[in-house]
Amino acid sequence: MPEATATPLALEAPKDNPHCVLMSDTDFDVAVVGAGPAGLVAACLAAARGFTTAMITGPQAERPDPRTVALMMPSLAVLAECGLWPGALKDMTAPLRKLRLIDDTGSLISAPELTFAARELGLEAFGWNIPLVVLKPALEARAEALGVRFFRDSVAGFAVQGDKATLSLGNGALLSARLALAADGRNSLLRRAIGINTISWTYDQSAIAVSFAHSHPHRDVSCEYHKPAGPFTTVPLPGQRSSLVWMETPARAQALMTLDDASLAAEIQASSHGELGRISDVGPRQSFPMSGARAEIFARDRVMLIGETAHVVPPIGAQGLNMSLRDAAEAIALASAAREAGEDIASPKVLGDYDRRRQRDVRPRQTMIDLMNRSLLSGFLPLEAGRAAGLAALSSFGPLRRFAMSAGLGRAVQS
Ligand SMILES: Cc1cc2nc3c(=O)[nH]c(=O)nc-3n(C[C@H](O)[C@H](O)[C@H](O)COP(=O)(O)OP(=O)(O)OC[C@H]3O[C@@H](n4cnc5c(N)ncnc54)[C@H](O)[C@@H]3O)c2cc1C
């Protein structure tokens, strides 16, 4: 940890949160490291529960993120707890009422088309599709209103001293907290500082994220076309617009990234078989190399790992950020319970409970996503037959389909 002197930090009482009582200018109950969507939600939840909360943002993104995130109903309940849902955010998003899975592999053994309807579960929608360029500023504004103290710097070092975690920032300032939440992303410095290893793997794929306009209505239906190089998934946005996650071989993705907008629109139209009509008005695009990762343990030394610091999955079935919001909710629920019992909010027991509960949710989901993805990529007939049989069973057997829908929402495997 670099030599550092504490920089005085002026604090004001939060306007919007009567529960929050300030302690000292550099001493917090909870410090969240990383202002991605997972960290921002965790900071809002912590402050809403009355914890004095610091947010160390990390570096600013260089360009706007073109991704949208399909957040399922349990995640929207977390946003509601933050005071952000439904509110103004809802008007900038679109519901997902149906999910269609279409076998577009051209395989000898093709799966039947499968449609999941939220209505079958008695729900208005599975979730809503929210652009990250809308979600992140809304979360940041909400966190500020709840009294979260923002430090627009990066964490440079970490130490545990007694019942406190001490974080040093890039500018040399020090701050301390009972509990630190590491949300500083897949290359987390904080995770490495406490010596937690990850297992990681790569896929021979890149995912292009982009949005576009179309002449036919989407009718609030998301379509996942299973193609030999991975899924091509359209997700409704407000009006006659959809977002797209297009998984391709890295070479083909690179070629698509260099196309002009009109040529890319034509490629999207062909790959969606014209089902959304004429494609136009393609938005900014970004390509993401596909990989997976999991930390060997999700908590240690007064630190809980949340979001992509703990787990990375390819964007199949909209699981990534949905799992991360459950991380944030579990972390703050456990800390709150410990505080109510008059106990240390980051005791070995609290950290152990967090690790156990989150591993139980994350591990089977990572396995399912990996299997689904590899069954498309392998070109191996028995694996393709297994996928086709699994989807056929889901298509014809209502209880199994409803179980799969609940699990996809994040309900069935929750402890
Ligand atoms: C194409 C695509 C589509 C997706 N679609 C969906 C979807 O529909 N639904 C879904 O649930 N998920 C989806 N995901 C997953 C989702 O986008 C990610 O899980 C999420 O964006 C990651 O958020 P995060 O907060 O964990 O990490 P990040 O967004 O990576 O945030 C990490 C933060 O830490 C900061 N930081 C880094 N170093 C430091 C430091 N030293 N000190 C302090 N801060 C630091 C960074 O600046 C950054 O702000 C998708 C992913 C992809 C690639």
Side-chain angles (χ1 to χ4, degrees), residues 35-90:
L40 286 166
V41 166
C44 287
L45 288 176
R49 293 276 187 108
F51 290 112
T52 54
T53 306
M55 160 55 80
I56 301 127
T57 61
Q60 280 273 334
E62 278 158 24
R63 52 188 168 157
D65 194 323
R67 285 178 292 179
T68 68
V69 283
L71 291 185
M72 303 305 168
M73 294 311 261
S75 294
L76 296 171
V78 173
L79 290 189
E81 200 183 331
C82 297
L84 254 191
W85 188 263
L89 197 54
K90 194 172 178 186

Short mmCIF file of all heavy atoms in Angstrom, two decimals, residues 35-90:
data_model
loop_
_atom_site.label_atom_id
_atom_site.label_comp_id
_atom_site.label_asym_id
_atom_site.label_seq_id
_atom_site.Cartn_x
_atom_site.Cartn_y
_atom_site.Cartn_z
N ALA A 35 -17.98 1.96 -9.61
CA ALA A 35 -19.31 2.53 -9.91
C ALA A 35 -19.88 1.98 -11.21
O ALA A 35 -20.43 2.70 -12.03
CB ALA A 35 -19.23 4.05 -9.97
N GLY A 36 -19.76 0.66 -11.40
CA GLY A 36 -20.54 -0.01 -12.45
C GLY A 36 -21.96 -0.18 -11.91
O GLY A 36 -22.26 0.21 -10.77
N PRO A 37 -22.85 -0.79 -12.70
CA PRO A 37 -24.23 -0.94 -12.22
C PRO A 37 -24.33 -1.76 -10.93
O PRO A 37 -25.15 -1.44 -10.06
CB PRO A 37 -24.94 -1.64 -13.39
CG PRO A 37 -23.87 -2.15 -14.29
CD PRO A 37 -22.67 -1.30 -14.08
N ALA A 38 -23.49 -2.80 -10.77
CA ALA A 38 -23.58 -3.63 -9.55
C ALA A 38 -23.19 -2.80 -8.32
O ALA A 38 -23.87 -2.82 -7.30
CB ALA A 38 -22.68 -4.86 -9.69
N GLY A 39 -22.08 -2.07 -8.43
CA GLY A 39 -21.61 -1.28 -7.29
C GLY A 39 -22.59 -0.17 -6.94
O GLY A 39 -22.86 0.10 -5.75
N LEU A 40 -23.15 0.47 -7.96
CA LEU A 40 -24.10 1.58 -7.70
C LEU A 40 -25.35 1.07 -7.00
O LEU A 40 -25.86 1.72 -6.08
CB LEU A 40 -24.45 2.28 -9.01
CG LEU A 40 -23.34 3.18 -9.58
CD1 LEU A 40 -23.63 3.54 -11.03
CD2 LEU A 40 -23.16 4.43 -8.74
N VAL A 41 -25.85 -0.10 -7.42
CA VAL A 41 -27.03 -0.65 -6.74
C VAL A 41 -26.68 -0.98 -5.29
O VAL A 41 -27.45 -0.67 -4.36
CB VAL A 41 -27.55 -1.90 -7.49
CG1 VAL A 41 -28.54 -2.68 -6.64
CG2 VAL A 41 -28.20 -1.50 -8.80
N ALA A 42 -25.52 -1.58 -5.07
CA ALA A 42 -25.12 -1.93 -3.69
C ALA A 42 -25.03 -0.68 -2.82
O ALA A 42 -25.47 -0.67 -1.67
CB ALA A 42 -23.78 -2.67 -3.72
N ALA A 43 -24.48 0.40 -3.39
CA ALA A 43 -24.35 1.65 -2.62
C ALA A 43 -25.73 2.21 -2.28
O ALA A 43 -25.96 2.67 -1.14
CB ALA A 43 -23.53 2.66 -3.42
N CYS A 44 -26.65 2.17 -3.24
CA CYS A 44 -28.02 2.67 -2.97
C CYS A 44 -28.68 1.84 -1.87
O CYS A 44 -29.29 2.40 -0.94
CB CYS A 44 -28.88 2.59 -4.23
SG CYS A 44 -28.49 3.81 -5.47
N LEU A 45 -28.55 0.50 -1.96
CA LEU A 45 -29.19 -0.35 -0.96
C LEU A 45 -28.60 -0.10 0.42
O LEU A 45 -29.32 -0.03 1.42
CB LEU A 45 -28.99 -1.83 -1.33
CG LEU A 45 -29.79 -2.36 -2.51
CD1 LEU A 45 -29.40 -3.81 -2.80
CD2 LEU A 45 -31.29 -2.26 -2.25
N ALA A 46 -27.27 0.03 0.48
CA ALA A 46 -26.61 0.24 1.78
C ALA A 46 -27.09 1.56 2.40
O ALA A 46 -27.46 1.61 3.58
CB ALA A 46 -25.09 0.25 1.60
N ALA A 47 -27.10 2.62 1.60
CA ALA A 47 -27.52 3.93 2.13
C ALA A 47 -29.00 3.92 2.51
O ALA A 47 -29.40 4.48 3.54
CB ALA A 47 -27.23 5.02 1.10
N ALA A 48 -29.83 3.23 1.69
CA ALA A 48 -31.26 3.17 1.99
C ALA A 48 -31.52 2.45 3.31
O ALA A 48 -32.50 2.72 3.98
CB ALA A 48 -32.00 2.47 0.85
N ARG A 49 -30.61 1.52 3.67
CA ARG A 49 -30.76 0.81 4.95
C ARG A 49 -30.09 1.56 6.11
O ARG A 49 -29.92 1.02 7.19
CB ARG A 49 -30.13 -0.59 4.86
CG ARG A 49 -30.83 -1.52 3.91
CD ARG A 49 -32.03 -2.20 4.58
NE ARG A 49 -32.58 -3.21 3.70
CZ ARG A 49 -32.46 -4.52 3.91
NH1 ARG A 49 -31.80 -4.98 4.95
NH2 ARG A 49 -33.00 -5.37 3.07
N GLY A 50 -29.59 2.76 5.83
CA GLY A 50 -29.05 3.59 6.92
C GLY A 50 -27.58 3.39 7.21
O GLY A 50 -27.06 3.89 8.22
N PHE A 51 -26.85 2.66 6.35
CA PHE A 51 -25.41 2.53 6.53
C PHE A 51 -24.72 3.77 5.96
O PHE A 51 -25.08 4.22 4.86
CB PHE A 51 -24.86 1.31 5.79
CG PHE A 51 -25.27 -0.01 6.39
CD1 PHE A 51 -26.14 -0.86 5.72
CD2 PHE A 51 -24.77 -0.41 7.62
CE1 PHE A 51 -26.51 -2.08 6.27
CE2 PHE A 51 -25.14 -1.63 8.18
CZ PHE A 51 -26.01 -2.46 7.51
N THR A 52 -23.75 4.33 6.69
CA THR A 52 -22.96 5.40 6.08
C THR A 52 -22.13 4.75 4.98
O THR A 52 -21.47 3.73 5.21
CB THR A 52 -22.04 6.08 7.11
OG1 THR A 52 -21.24 5.09 7.74
CG2 THR A 52 -22.84 6.83 8.14
N THR A 53 -22.20 5.31 3.80
CA THR A 53 -21.69 4.60 2.62
C THR A 53 -20.78 5.48 1.77
O THR A 53 -21.13 6.61 1.44
CB THR A 53 -22.88 4.11 1.75
OG1 THR A 53 -23.76 3.35 2.58
CG2 THR A 53 -22.42 3.26 0.59
N ALA A 54 -19.62 4.92 1.42
CA ALA A 54 -18.71 5.59 0.48
C ALA A 54 -18.72 4.84 -0.83
O ALA A 54 -18.83 3.63 -0.85
CB ALA A 54 -17.29 5.58 1.05
N MET A 55 -18.61 5.57 -1.91
CA MET A 55 -18.49 4.97 -3.25
C MET A 55 -17.20 5.48 -3.89
O MET A 55 -17.05 6.68 -4.12
CB MET A 55 -19.71 5.36 -4.09
CG MET A 55 -19.55 5.25 -5.61
SD MET A 55 -19.03 3.64 -6.20
CE MET A 55 -20.55 2.74 -6.18
N ILE A 56 -16.27 4.57 -4.14
CA ILE A 56 -15.04 4.94 -4.86
C ILE A 56 -15.27 4.52 -6.30
O ILE A 56 -15.35 3.33 -6.61
CB ILE A 56 -13.82 4.24 -4.24
CG1 ILE A 56 -13.71 4.64 -2.77
CG2 ILE A 56 -12.54 4.62 -4.97
CD1 ILE A 56 -13.63 3.51 -1.83
N THR A 57 -15.40 5.51 -7.17
CA THR A 57 -15.98 5.24 -8.49
C THR A 57 -15.06 4.48 -9.45
O THR A 57 -15.54 3.72 -10.28
CB THR A 57 -16.36 6.55 -9.21
OG1 THR A 57 -15.16 7.32 -9.38
CG2 THR A 57 -17.40 7.32 -8.43
N GLY A 58 -13.75 4.72 -9.36
CA GLY A 58 -12.84 4.20 -10.38
C GLY A 58 -12.84 5.11 -11.58
O GLY A 58 -13.50 6.16 -11.59
N PRO A 59 -12.10 4.71 -12.64
CA PRO A 59 -11.99 5.58 -13.82
C PRO A 59 -13.31 5.71 -14.57
O PRO A 59 -14.12 4.79 -14.56
CB PRO A 59 -10.95 4.87 -14.70
CG PRO A 59 -10.88 3.46 -14.19
CD PRO A 59 -11.32 3.47 -12.76
N GLN A 60 -13.50 6.87 -15.20
CA GLN A 60 -14.69 7.12 -16.04
C GLN A 60 -14.57 6.31 -17.33
O GLN A 60 -13.49 6.19 -17.89
CB GLN A 60 -14.70 8.59 -16.47
CG GLN A 60 -15.21 9.55 -15.43
CD GLN A 60 -16.73 9.67 -15.55
OE1 GLN A 60 -17.27 9.45 -16.61
NE2 GLN A 60 -17.38 10.00 -14.44
N ALA A 61 -15.69 5.76 -17.80
CA ALA A 61 -15.66 5.07 -19.09
C ALA A 61 -15.35 6.07 -20.20
O ALA A 61 -15.76 7.23 -20.12
CB ALA A 61 -17.00 4.40 -19.34
N GLU A 62 -14.59 5.60 -21.22
CA GLU A 62 -14.18 6.54 -22.28
C GLU A 62 -15.31 6.87 -23.25
O GLU A 62 -15.34 7.93 -23.85
CB GLU A 62 -13.00 5.95 -23.06
CG GLU A 62 -11.69 6.19 -22.34
CD GLU A 62 -10.61 5.21 -22.76
OE1 GLU A 62 -10.69 4.66 -23.87
OE2 GLU A 62 -9.70 4.99 -21.93
N ARG A 63 -16.24 5.94 -23.42
CA ARG A 63 -17.36 6.19 -24.36
C ARG A 63 -18.63 5.57 -23.79
O ARG A 63 -18.55 4.64 -22.96
CB ARG A 63 -17.05 5.64 -25.74
CG ARG A 63 -16.63 4.21 -25.70
CD ARG A 63 -16.15 3.71 -27.04
NE ARG A 63 -15.50 2.42 -26.82
CZ ARG A 63 -15.32 1.51 -27.71
NH1 ARG A 63 -15.70 1.72 -28.95
NH2 ARG A 63 -14.75 0.36 -27.44
N PRO A 64 -19.79 6.04 -24.25
CA PRO A 64 -21.04 5.49 -23.74
C PRO A 64 -21.16 4.00 -24.07
O PRO A 64 -20.73 3.56 -25.13
CB PRO A 64 -22.13 6.29 -24.48
CG PRO A 64 -21.43 7.40 -25.16
CD PRO A 64 -19.98 7.09 -25.26
N ASP A 65 -21.72 3.25 -23.15
CA ASP A 65 -21.86 1.80 -23.30
C ASP A 65 -23.14 1.51 -24.09
O ASP A 65 -24.22 1.90 -23.67
CB ASP A 65 -21.94 1.19 -21.88
CG ASP A 65 -21.74 -0.31 -21.87
OD1 ASP A 65 -22.21 -0.97 -22.82
OD2 ASP A 65 -21.12 -0.81 -20.93
N PRO A 66 -23.06 0.83 -25.25
CA PRO A 66 -24.28 0.60 -26.05
C PRO A 66 -25.13 -0.56 -25.53
O PRO A 66 -26.17 -0.86 -26.11
CB PRO A 66 -23.73 0.27 -27.44
CG PRO A 66 -22.40 -0.36 -27.17
CD PRO A 66 -21.86 0.27 -25.92
N ARG A 67 -24.69 -1.23 -24.45
CA ARG A 67 -25.46 -2.39 -23.98
C ARG A 67 -26.77 -1.97 -23.31
O ARG A 67 -26.86 -0.91 -22.71
CB ARG A 67 -24.65 -3.20 -22.95
CG ARG A 67 -23.54 -4.01 -23.55
CD ARG A 67 -22.75 -4.74 -22.51
NE ARG A 67 -21.97 -3.83 -21.67
CZ ARG A 67 -21.20 -4.22 -20.66
NH1 ARG A 67 -21.11 -5.50 -20.36
NH2 ARG A 67 -20.51 -3.34 -19.97
N THR A 68 -27.76 -2.83 -23.44
CA THR A 68 -28.97 -2.71 -22.62
C THR A 68 -28.98 -3.94 -21.74
O THR A 68 -28.40 -4.97 -22.09
CB THR A 68 -30.24 -2.69 -23.48
OG1 THR A 68 -30.42 -3.98 -24.08
CG2 THR A 68 -30.17 -1.62 -24.57
N VAL A 69 -29.63 -3.85 -20.58
CA VAL A 69 -29.69 -5.03 -19.71
C VAL A 69 -31.16 -5.38 -19.46
O VAL A 69 -31.96 -4.53 -19.06
CB VAL A 69 -28.95 -4.81 -18.38
CG1 VAL A 69 -27.45 -4.94 -18.58
CG2 VAL A 69 -29.29 -3.49 -17.73
N ALA A 70 -31.47 -6.64 -19.75
CA ALA A 70 -32.82 -7.14 -19.45
C ALA A 70 -32.83 -7.48 -17.97
O ALA A 70 -32.18 -8.44 -17.56
CB ALA A 70 -33.12 -8.36 -20.31
N LEU A 71 -33.50 -6.67 -17.18
CA LEU A 71 -33.57 -6.94 -15.74
C LEU A 71 -34.90 -7.59 -15.41
O LEU A 71 -35.97 -7.08 -15.76
CB LEU A 71 -33.39 -5.64 -14.94
CG LEU A 71 -31.99 -5.04 -15.01
CD1 LEU A 71 -31.87 -3.84 -14.08
CD2 LEU A 71 -30.89 -6.06 -14.67
N MET A 72 -34.81 -8.76 -14.78
CA MET A 72 -36.00 -9.55 -14.48
C MET A 72 -36.72 -9.01 -13.24
O MET A 72 -36.16 -8.21 -12.49
CB MET A 72 -35.62 -11.03 -14.29
CG MET A 72 -34.90 -11.61 -15.49
SD MET A 72 -35.86 -11.39 -17.01
CE MET A 72 -34.68 -11.81 -18.27
N MET A 73 -37.94 -9.49 -13.02
CA MET A 73 -38.78 -8.92 -11.94
C MET A 73 -38.06 -8.86 -10.58
O MET A 73 -38.15 -7.84 -9.89
CB MET A 73 -40.11 -9.67 -11.83
CG MET A 73 -41.00 -9.50 -13.04
SD MET A 73 -41.21 -7.80 -13.55
CE MET A 73 -42.76 -7.41 -12.82
N PRO A 74 -37.35 -9.93 -10.14
CA PRO A 74 -36.67 -9.82 -8.84
C PRO A 74 -35.64 -8.67 -8.81
O PRO A 74 -35.45 -8.02 -7.78
CB PRO A 74 -35.99 -11.18 -8.66
CG PRO A 74 -36.80 -12.11 -9.52
CD PRO A 74 -37.22 -11.29 -10.70
N SER A 75 -34.98 -8.42 -9.95
CA SER A 75 -34.01 -7.31 -9.99
C SER A 75 -34.74 -5.97 -9.93
O SER A 75 -34.24 -5.00 -9.34
CB SER A 75 -33.19 -7.36 -11.28
OG SER A 75 -32.39 -8.52 -11.28
N LEU A 76 -35.93 -5.92 -10.56
CA LEU A 76 -36.69 -4.67 -10.51
C LEU A 76 -37.18 -4.40 -9.08
O LEU A 76 -37.28 -3.24 -8.66
CB LEU A 76 -37.85 -4.71 -11.51
CG LEU A 76 -37.36 -4.81 -12.96
CD1 LEU A 76 -38.52 -5.07 -13.91
CD2 LEU A 76 -36.61 -3.55 -13.38
N ALA A 77 -37.42 -5.50 -8.33
CA ALA A 77 -37.78 -5.31 -6.91
C ALA A 77 -36.60 -4.69 -6.16
O ALA A 77 -36.79 -3.87 -5.25
CB ALA A 77 -38.18 -6.65 -6.30
N VAL A 78 -35.38 -5.06 -6.55
CA VAL A 78 -34.19 -4.46 -5.91
C VAL A 78 -34.12 -2.97 -6.28
O VAL A 78 -33.86 -2.11 -5.42
CB VAL A 78 -32.90 -5.21 -6.34
CG1 VAL A 78 -31.65 -4.50 -5.83
CG2 VAL A 78 -32.92 -6.66 -5.85
N LEU A 79 -34.37 -2.66 -7.56
CA LEU A 79 -34.38 -1.23 -7.95
C LEU A 79 -35.47 -0.47 -7.21
O LEU A 79 -35.30 0.70 -6.85
CB LEU A 79 -34.57 -1.08 -9.46
CG LEU A 79 -33.43 -1.52 -10.38
CD1 LEU A 79 -33.72 -1.10 -11.82
CD2 LEU A 79 -32.09 -0.96 -9.94
N ALA A 80 -36.61 -1.15 -6.97
CA ALA A 80 -37.70 -0.50 -6.21
C ALA A 80 -37.23 -0.20 -4.79
O ALA A 80 -37.53 0.87 -4.24
CB ALA A 80 -38.94 -1.40 -6.20
N GLU A 81 -36.47 -1.13 -4.21
CA GLU A 81 -35.95 -0.89 -2.85
C GLU A 81 -34.99 0.30 -2.84
O GLU A 81 -34.89 1.02 -1.85
CB GLU A 81 -35.26 -2.15 -2.34
CG GLU A 81 -35.13 -2.16 -0.82
CD GLU A 81 -34.39 -3.38 -0.27
OE1 GLU A 81 -34.44 -4.45 -0.90
OE2 GLU A 81 -33.77 -3.21 0.80
N CYS A 82 -34.31 0.51 -3.95
CA CYS A 82 -33.42 1.68 -4.07
C CYS A 82 -34.25 2.96 -4.28
O CYS A 82 -33.69 4.06 -4.30
CB CYS A 82 -32.48 1.55 -5.26
SG CYS A 82 -31.33 0.19 -5.17
N GLY A 83 -35.55 2.83 -4.54
CA GLY A 83 -36.40 4.00 -4.81
C GLY A 83 -36.35 4.43 -6.26
O GLY A 83 -36.62 5.58 -6.60
N LEU A 84 -35.99 3.48 -7.15
CA LEU A 84 -35.79 3.84 -8.57
C LEU A 84 -36.80 3.22 -9.52
O LEU A 84 -36.74 3.46 -10.72
CB LEU A 84 -34.41 3.38 -9.01
CG LEU A 84 -33.33 4.41 -9.20
CD1 LEU A 84 -32.14 3.78 -9.87
CD2 LEU A 84 -33.79 5.61 -10.01
N TRP A 85 -37.64 2.35 -9.04
CA TRP A 85 -38.56 1.64 -9.94
C TRP A 85 -39.95 1.63 -9.34
O TRP A 85 -40.05 1.43 -8.12
CB TRP A 85 -38.08 0.20 -10.17
CG TRP A 85 -38.87 -0.51 -11.22
CD1 TRP A 85 -39.92 -1.35 -11.03
CD2 TRP A 85 -38.69 -0.41 -12.64
NE1 TRP A 85 -40.41 -1.78 -12.22
CE2 TRP A 85 -39.67 -1.23 -13.23
CE3 TRP A 85 -37.80 0.29 -13.45
CZ2 TRP A 85 -39.78 -1.37 -14.61
CZ3 TRP A 85 -37.90 0.15 -14.82
CH2 TRP A 85 -38.88 -0.67 -15.39
N PRO A 86 -41.04 1.91 -10.09
CA PRO A 86 -41.03 2.15 -11.54
C PRO A 86 -40.52 3.55 -11.90
O PRO A 86 -39.58 3.65 -12.66
CB PRO A 86 -42.47 1.95 -11.94
CG PRO A 86 -43.28 2.00 -10.70
CD PRO A 86 -42.39 1.74 -9.54
N GLY A 87 -41.10 4.61 -11.41
CA GLY A 87 -40.58 5.96 -11.62
C GLY A 87 -40.31 6.30 -13.08
O GLY A 87 -40.79 5.63 -14.00
N ALA A 88 -39.50 7.34 -13.25
CA ALA A 88 -39.23 7.85 -14.61
C ALA A 88 -38.45 6.85 -15.45
O ALA A 88 -38.55 6.84 -16.69
CB ALA A 88 -38.45 9.16 -14.50
N LEU A 89 -37.70 5.98 -14.77
CA LEU A 89 -36.88 5.00 -15.50
C LEU A 89 -37.74 4.11 -16.40
O LEU A 89 -37.35 3.78 -17.52
CB LEU A 89 -36.17 4.13 -14.45
CG LEU A 89 -34.97 3.30 -14.87
CD1 LEU A 89 -33.91 4.14 -15.55
CD2 LEU A 89 -34.38 2.57 -13.66
N LYS A 90 -38.91 3.76 -15.90
CA LYS A 90 -39.76 2.79 -16.62
C LYS A 90 -40.15 3.29 -18.01
O LYS A 90 -40.27 2.51 -18.95
CB LYS A 90 -41.02 2.49 -15.79
CG LYS A 90 -41.78 1.28 -16.27
CD LYS A 90 -42.89 0.90 -15.32
CE LYS A 90 -43.66 -0.29 -15.86
NZ LYS A 90 -44.82 -0.61 -15.07
#
